[in-house]
Amino acid sequence: MSPLPILLLNGPNLNMLGKRQPEVYGSETLADVVSACRSAAQAAGRALEDFQSNSEGDMIDRIHAARGNVSGIIINPGGWTHTSVALRDALVIPEVPIVEVHISNVHAREAFRHHSFVSPVATGVIAGLGTFGYRAAIDYLVKHH
Ligand code: DHK
């Protein structure tokens, strides 16, 4: 039986990657990121599912649907990182390892970005490595889970 897929989730405004503040978030589009992650996962014999939403309820529904169907989750929660207890509560439901990714170094930015509701339920957190952080998260999950 082949291993369950990895799920890559991106929250609000990340559909604008490449256009949105490129000095902070880089010039790669979300499609570029997803494609690079899919290639890296497939090279390791793993499938990648991906989902982006600007709607919190849709994101929570997608996380519920992941229960029993994925081996791990990579999530850039965008602004919900700093606001959403509901997202944090949803993320424990699939009972799989979670890698929280931030493109920018949130700790070097405004104080309101220093707190994450997601980090306490994450296996690990990557921040400030640009879009490479997503690929690092794939490498971690394929090697360890
Ligand atoms: C992305 C966002 O949209 C922000 O709200 C976070 C994160 C940082 C990132 O660095 O990828 O504060």
Side-chain angles (χ1 to χ4, degrees), residues 27-92:
S27 55
E28 267 191 303
T29 65
L30 185 58
D32 294 333
V33 170
V34 170
S35 157
C37 287
R38 179 158 291 121
S39 299
Q42 285 175 348
R46 307 289 286 272
L48 185 81
E49 293 180 359
D50 71 285
F51 181 72
Q52 187 278 330
S53 184
N54 297 319
S55 302
E56 194 172 349
D58 290 346
M59 180 60 74
I60 288 170
D61 287 342
R62 183 66 189 85
I63 293 166
H64 292 174
R67 184 178 160 88
N69 295 312
V70 305
S71 59
I73 294 174
I74 298 166
I75 184 165
N76 184 341
W80 295 328
T81 307
H82 320 296
T83 63
S84 183
V85 173
L87 179 68
R88 172 212 155 109
D89 287 351
L91 281 166
V92 301

Side-chain angles (χ1 to χ4, degrees), residues 12 14 20 25 76 78-79 82 101-104 106 109 113:
L14 291 158
R20 171 197 188 198
Y25 298 106
N76 184 341
H82 320 296
V101 173
H102 302 287
I103 297 165
S104 64
V106 283
R109 299 180 64 193
R113 296 185 203 275

